[in-house]
Amino acid sequence: MKFAAKRRSGGGVINLTPLIDCIFLLVIFIMLAARFEPEGGIPVDLPSAQAGETPRKVERLNLTVTADGRFYIEDEEILVEDIERKIIEYRTAAGDPDGKDIVLVVNGDKEANHGRIVEALDAASRAKQQKVTIRTRQ
């Protein structure tokens, strides 16, 4: 009896479609799960600047001046008379009463009255805030 040897095909085929589908779903999940939010809670239209420097990662206190002249510290609306007191309270609560490690970030809308932003900076000066930066977009 003579047996014929069976021929094997060139190899198995691996179907990559399910793997590509899983990777695609993971990418979509990560994109949807990521939080893309601006740093301040009050939306303002920031002016542009070419030579801006981003402060290094330190404790920040956001002070926002809206186009209609209202003031916010973080997400709380305040009066201009209360800015100095709130800055001091924040620094004391953060354990840095001298303000050496806390940066006051002023988010001023580009349509805001220049005088209102100067009032905010003056209040920060009276509170002896050492580090102040004005946020812009590049």
PDB file of all heavy atoms in Angstrom, residues 19-41:
ATOM      1  N   LEU A  19      -8.707  42.641  16.452  1.00  0.00           N
ATOM      2  CA  LEU A  19      -7.708  43.379  17.216  1.00  0.00           C
ATOM      3  C   LEU A  19      -7.769  44.867  16.903  1.00  0.00           C
ATOM      4  O   LEU A  19      -7.726  45.715  17.799  1.00  0.00           O
ATOM      5  CB  LEU A  19      -6.309  42.819  16.908  1.00  0.00           C
ATOM      6  CG  LEU A  19      -5.149  43.536  17.602  1.00  0.00           C
ATOM      7  CD1 LEU A  19      -5.231  43.344  19.103  1.00  0.00           C
ATOM      8  CD2 LEU A  19      -3.828  43.037  17.058  1.00  0.00           C
ATOM      9  N   ILE A  20      -7.892  45.214  15.640  1.00  0.00           N
ATOM     10  CA  ILE A  20      -7.989  46.614  15.236  1.00  0.00           C
ATOM     11  C   ILE A  20      -9.259  47.241  15.794  1.00  0.00           C
ATOM     12  O   ILE A  20      -9.248  48.377  16.270  1.00  0.00           O
ATOM     13  CB  ILE A  20      -7.919  46.731  13.703  1.00  0.00           C
ATOM     14  CG1 ILE A  20      -6.530  46.317  13.217  1.00  0.00           C
ATOM     15  CG2 ILE A  20      -8.256  48.146  13.247  1.00  0.00           C
ATOM     16  CD1 ILE A  20      -6.414  46.169  11.719  1.00  0.00           C
ATOM     17  N   ASP A  21     -10.355  46.497  15.798  1.00  0.00           N
ATOM     18  CA  ASP A  21     -11.603  47.003  16.380  1.00  0.00           C
ATOM     19  C   ASP A  21     -11.449  47.298  17.864  1.00  0.00           C
ATOM     20  O   ASP A  21     -11.917  48.325  18.364  1.00  0.00           O
ATOM     21  CB  ASP A  21     -12.740  45.994  16.170  1.00  0.00           C
ATOM     22  CG  ASP A  21     -13.199  45.921  14.728  1.00  0.00           C
ATOM     23  OD1 ASP A  21     -12.863  46.850  13.957  1.00  0.00           O
ATOM     24  OD2 ASP A  21     -13.889  44.945  14.373  1.00  0.00           O
ATOM     25  N   CYS A  22     -10.783  46.399  18.588  1.00  0.00           N
ATOM     26  CA  CYS A  22     -10.579  46.620  20.036  1.00  0.00           C
ATOM     27  C   CYS A  22      -9.718  47.854  20.287  1.00  0.00           C
ATOM     28  O   CYS A  22     -10.021  48.665  21.172  1.00  0.00           O
ATOM     29  CB  CYS A  22      -9.927  45.394  20.668  1.00  0.00           C
ATOM     30  SG  CYS A  22     -11.037  43.996  20.790  1.00  0.00           S
ATOM     31  N   ILE A  23      -8.651  48.011  19.531  1.00  0.00           N
ATOM     32  CA  ILE A  23      -7.776  49.177  19.691  1.00  0.00           C
ATOM     33  C   ILE A  23      -8.545  50.458  19.383  1.00  0.00           C
ATOM     34  O   ILE A  23      -8.438  51.457  20.092  1.00  0.00           O
ATOM     35  CB  ILE A  23      -6.527  49.054  18.787  1.00  0.00           C
ATOM     36  CG1 ILE A  23      -5.705  47.830  19.171  1.00  0.00           C
ATOM     37  CG2 ILE A  23      -5.681  50.313  18.847  1.00  0.00           C
ATOM     38  CD1 ILE A  23      -5.131  47.866  20.569  1.00  0.00           C
ATOM     39  N   PHE A  24      -9.326  50.430  18.336  1.00  0.00           N
ATOM     40  CA  PHE A  24     -10.122  51.596  17.956  1.00  0.00           C
ATOM     41  C   PHE A  24     -11.110  51.972  19.072  1.00  0.00           C
ATOM     42  O   PHE A  24     -11.258  53.140  19.423  1.00  0.00           O
ATOM     43  CB  PHE A  24     -10.862  51.312  16.646  1.00  0.00           C
ATOM     44  CG  PHE A  24     -11.654  52.467  16.129  1.00  0.00           C
ATOM     45  CD1 PHE A  24     -11.026  53.641  15.733  1.00  0.00           C
ATOM     46  CD2 PHE A  24     -13.034  52.397  16.042  1.00  0.00           C
ATOM     47  CE1 PHE A  24     -11.749  54.706  15.260  1.00  0.00           C
ATOM     48  CE2 PHE A  24     -13.770  53.470  15.572  1.00  0.00           C
ATOM     49  CZ  PHE A  24     -13.133  54.622  15.181  1.00  0.00           C
ATOM     50  N   LEU A  25     -11.768  50.982  19.658  1.00  0.00           N
ATOM     51  CA  LEU A  25     -12.696  51.247  20.762  1.00  0.00           C
ATOM     52  C   LEU A  25     -11.971  51.788  21.994  1.00  0.00           C
ATOM     53  O   LEU A  25     -12.485  52.663  22.699  1.00  0.00           O
ATOM     54  CB  LEU A  25     -13.480  49.983  21.111  1.00  0.00           C
ATOM     55  CG  LEU A  25     -14.533  49.574  20.087  1.00  0.00           C
ATOM     56  CD1 LEU A  25     -15.133  48.226  20.442  1.00  0.00           C
ATOM     57  CD2 LEU A  25     -15.614  50.631  19.969  1.00  0.00           C
ATOM     58  N   LEU A  26     -10.761  51.286  22.266  1.00  0.00           N
ATOM     59  CA  LEU A  26      -9.976  51.817  23.386  1.00  0.00           C
ATOM     60  C   LEU A  26      -9.612  53.285  23.156  1.00  0.00           C
ATOM     61  O   LEU A  26      -9.670  54.103  24.079  1.00  0.00           O
ATOM     62  CB  LEU A  26      -8.715  50.989  23.590  1.00  0.00           C
ATOM     63  CG  LEU A  26      -8.895  49.664  24.316  1.00  0.00           C
ATOM     64  CD1 LEU A  26      -7.595  48.870  24.300  1.00  0.00           C
ATOM     65  CD2 LEU A  26      -9.344  49.900  25.736  1.00  0.00           C
ATOM     66  N   VAL A  27      -9.218  53.632  21.957  1.00  0.00           N
ATOM     67  CA  VAL A  27      -8.881  55.027  21.643  1.00  0.00           C
ATOM     68  C   VAL A  27     -10.100  55.922  21.834  1.00  0.00           C
ATOM     69  O   VAL A  27     -10.009  57.001  22.423  1.00  0.00           O
ATOM     70  CB  VAL A  27      -8.318  55.143  20.211  1.00  0.00           C
ATOM     71  CG1 VAL A  27      -8.218  56.591  19.772  1.00  0.00           C
ATOM     72  CG2 VAL A  27      -6.963  54.473  20.122  1.00  0.00           C
ATOM     73  N   ILE A  28     -11.257  55.483  21.361  1.00  0.00           N
ATOM     74  CA  ILE A  28     -12.474  56.275  21.531  1.00  0.00           C
ATOM     75  C   ILE A  28     -12.809  56.433  23.013  1.00  0.00           C
ATOM     76  O   ILE A  28     -13.148  57.524  23.475  1.00  0.00           O
ATOM     77  CB  ILE A  28     -13.649  55.622  20.764  1.00  0.00           C
ATOM     78  CG1 ILE A  28     -13.434  55.759  19.266  1.00  0.00           C
ATOM     79  CG2 ILE A  28     -14.981  56.259  21.165  1.00  0.00           C
ATOM     80  CD1 ILE A  28     -14.452  55.022  18.428  1.00  0.00           C
ATOM     81  N   PHE A  29     -12.678  55.356  23.795  1.00  0.00           N
ATOM     82  CA  PHE A  29     -12.965  55.425  25.227  1.00  0.00           C
ATOM     83  C   PHE A  29     -12.035  56.406  25.925  1.00  0.00           C
ATOM     84  O   PHE A  29     -12.478  57.220  26.740  1.00  0.00           O
ATOM     85  CB  PHE A  29     -12.835  54.032  25.855  1.00  0.00           C
ATOM     86  CG  PHE A  29     -12.973  54.043  27.337  1.00  0.00           C
ATOM     87  CD1 PHE A  29     -14.222  54.181  27.925  1.00  0.00           C
ATOM     88  CD2 PHE A  29     -11.864  53.945  28.161  1.00  0.00           C
ATOM     89  CE1 PHE A  29     -14.361  54.204  29.295  1.00  0.00           C
ATOM     90  CE2 PHE A  29     -11.985  53.971  29.527  1.00  0.00           C
ATOM     91  CZ  PHE A  29     -13.244  54.101  30.100  1.00  0.00           C
ATOM     92  N   ILE A  30     -10.751  56.360  25.617  1.00  0.00           N
ATOM     93  CA  ILE A  30      -9.789  57.262  26.257  1.00  0.00           C
ATOM     94  C   ILE A  30     -10.085  58.708  25.885  1.00  0.00           C
ATOM     95  O   ILE A  30     -10.019  59.603  26.726  1.00  0.00           O
ATOM     96  CB  ILE A  30      -8.354  56.864  25.884  1.00  0.00           C
ATOM     97  CG1 ILE A  30      -8.004  55.534  26.567  1.00  0.00           C
ATOM     98  CG2 ILE A  30      -7.350  57.939  26.276  1.00  0.00           C
ATOM     99  CD1 ILE A  30      -6.720  54.902  26.103  1.00  0.00           C
ATOM    100  N   MET A  31     -10.436  58.951  24.630  1.00  0.00           N
ATOM    101  CA  MET A  31     -10.740  60.323  24.212  1.00  0.00           C
ATOM    102  C   MET A  31     -11.981  60.857  24.913  1.00  0.00           C
ATOM    103  O   MET A  31     -12.044  62.025  25.292  1.00  0.00           O
ATOM    104  CB  MET A  31     -10.919  60.380  22.698  1.00  0.00           C
ATOM    105  CG  MET A  31      -9.616  60.232  21.940  1.00  0.00           C
ATOM    106  SD  MET A  31      -9.823  60.195  20.168  1.00  0.00           S
ATOM    107  CE  MET A  31     -10.684  61.698  19.855  1.00  0.00           C
ATOM    108  N   LEU A  32     -12.984  60.015  25.101  1.00  0.00           N
ATOM    109  CA  LEU A  32     -14.205  60.454  25.765  1.00  0.00           C
ATOM    110  C   LEU A  32     -14.024  60.581  27.273  1.00  0.00           C
ATOM    111  O   LEU A  32     -14.654  61.427  27.912  1.00  0.00           O
ATOM    112  CB  LEU A  32     -15.354  59.491  25.464  1.00  0.00           C
ATOM    113  CG  LEU A  32     -15.840  59.474  24.018  1.00  0.00           C
ATOM    114  CD1 LEU A  32     -16.898  58.399  23.831  1.00  0.00           C
ATOM    115  CD2 LEU A  32     -16.380  60.831  23.617  1.00  0.00           C
ATOM    116  N   ALA A  33     -13.159  59.762  27.848  1.00  0.00           N
ATOM    117  CA  ALA A  33     -12.964  59.790  29.291  1.00  0.00           C
ATOM    118  C   ALA A  33     -12.051  60.937  29.730  1.00  0.00           C
ATOM    119  O   ALA A  33     -12.127  61.388  30.870  1.00  0.00           O
ATOM    120  CB  ALA A  33     -12.383  58.462  29.764  1.00  0.00           C
ATOM    121  N   ALA A  34     -11.200  61.409  28.844  1.00  0.00           N
ATOM    122  CA  ALA A  34     -10.292  62.500  29.194  1.00  0.00           C
ATOM    123  C   ALA A  34     -11.086  63.784  29.372  1.00  0.00           C
ATOM    124  O   ALA A  34     -12.070  64.043  28.683  1.00  0.00           O
ATOM    125  CB  ALA A  34      -9.240  62.676  28.103  1.00  0.00           C
ATOM    126  N   ARG A  35     -10.648  64.593  30.326  1.00  0.00           N
ATOM    127  CA  ARG A  35     -11.334  65.854  30.582  1.00  0.00           C
ATOM    128  C   ARG A  35     -10.533  66.983  29.956  1.00  0.00           C
ATOM    129  O   ARG A  35      -9.397  67.236  30.353  1.00  0.00           O
ATOM    130  CB  ARG A  35     -11.457  66.069  32.080  1.00  0.00           C
ATOM    131  CG  ARG A  35     -12.308  64.984  32.734  1.00  0.00           C
ATOM    132  CD  ARG A  35     -12.437  65.216  34.184  1.00  0.00           C
ATOM    133  NE  ARG A  35     -13.260  66.401  34.363  1.00  0.00           N
ATOM    134  CZ  ARG A  35     -13.451  67.000  35.509  1.00  0.00           C
ATOM    135  NH1 ARG A  35     -12.866  66.546  36.582  1.00  0.00           N
ATOM    136  NH2 ARG A  35     -14.214  68.067  35.592  1.00  0.00           N
ATOM    137  N   PHE A  36     -11.123  67.639  28.994  1.00  0.00           N
ATOM    138  CA  PHE A  36     -10.474  68.755  28.327  1.00  0.00           C
ATOM    139  C   PHE A  36     -11.170  70.023  28.788  1.00  0.00           C
ATOM    140  O   PHE A  36     -12.135  70.471  28.181  1.00  0.00           O
ATOM    141  CB  PHE A  36     -10.564  68.613  26.803  1.00  0.00           C
ATOM    142  CG  PHE A  36      -9.890  67.380  26.289  1.00  0.00           C
ATOM    143  CD1 PHE A  36     -10.618  66.289  25.861  1.00  0.00           C
ATOM    144  CD2 PHE A  36      -8.515  67.307  26.254  1.00  0.00           C
ATOM    145  CE1 PHE A  36     -10.004  65.160  25.391  1.00  0.00           C
ATOM    146  CE2 PHE A  36      -7.880  66.181  25.783  1.00  0.00           C
ATOM    147  CZ  PHE A  36      -8.622  65.094  25.350  1.00  0.00           C
ATOM    148  N   GLU A  37     -10.691  70.612  29.882  1.00  0.00           N
ATOM    149  CA  GLU A  37     -11.298  71.812  30.430  1.00  0.00           C
ATOM    150  C   GLU A  37     -10.241  72.897  30.558  1.00  0.00           C
ATOM    151  O   GLU A  37      -9.089  72.621  30.862  1.00  0.00           O
ATOM    152  CB  GLU A  37     -11.879  71.533  31.819  1.00  0.00           C
ATOM    153  CG  GLU A  37     -13.036  70.576  31.808  1.00  0.00           C
ATOM    154  CD  GLU A  37     -13.590  70.343  33.211  1.00  0.00           C
ATOM    155  OE1 GLU A  37     -13.163  71.048  34.129  1.00  0.00           O
ATOM    156  OE2 GLU A  37     -14.440  69.464  33.352  1.00  0.00           O
ATOM    157  N   PRO A  38     -10.632  74.143  30.378  1.00  0.00           N
ATOM    158  CA  PRO A  38      -9.684  75.218  30.637  1.00  0.00           C
ATOM    159  C   PRO A  38      -9.416  75.315  32.130  1.00  0.00           C
ATOM    160  O   PRO A  38     -10.170  74.791  32.946  1.00  0.00           O
ATOM    161  CB  PRO A  38     -10.403  76.464  30.114  1.00  0.00           C
ATOM    162  CG  PRO A  38     -11.845  76.096  30.112  1.00  0.00           C
ATOM    163  CD  PRO A  38     -11.916  74.613  29.899  1.00  0.00           C
ATOM    164  N   GLU A  39      -8.325  76.002  32.482  1.00  0.00           N
ATOM    165  CA  GLU A  39      -7.943  76.081  33.888  1.00  0.00           C
ATOM    166  C   GLU A  39      -8.928  76.865  34.733  1.00  0.00           C
ATOM    167  O   GLU A  39      -9.214  76.504  35.841  1.00  0.00           O
ATOM    168  CB  GLU A  39      -6.552  76.686  34.016  1.00  0.00           C
ATOM    169  CG  GLU A  39      -5.497  75.745  33.499  1.00  0.00           C
ATOM    170  CD  GLU A  39      -4.121  76.314  33.648  1.00  0.00           C
ATOM    171  OE1 GLU A  39      -3.948  77.274  34.402  1.00  0.00           O
ATOM    172  OE2 GLU A  39      -3.223  75.799  33.005  1.00  0.00           O
ATOM    173  N   GLY A  40      -9.423  77.969  34.250  1.00  0.00           N
ATOM    174  CA  GLY A  40     -10.376  78.771  35.016  1.00  0.00           C
ATOM    175  C   GLY A  40     -11.790  78.305  34.758  1.00  0.00           C
ATOM    176  O   GLY A  40     -12.105  77.735  33.723  1.00  0.00           O
ATOM    177  N   GLY A  41     -12.683  78.546  35.702  1.00  0.00           N
ATOM    178  CA  GLY A  41     -14.047  78.103  35.556  1.00  0.00           C
ATOM    179  C   GLY A  41     -14.934  79.091  34.825  1.00  0.00           C
ATOM    180  O   GLY A  41     -15.983  78.740  34.324  1.00  0.00           O
TER     181      GLY A  41
END
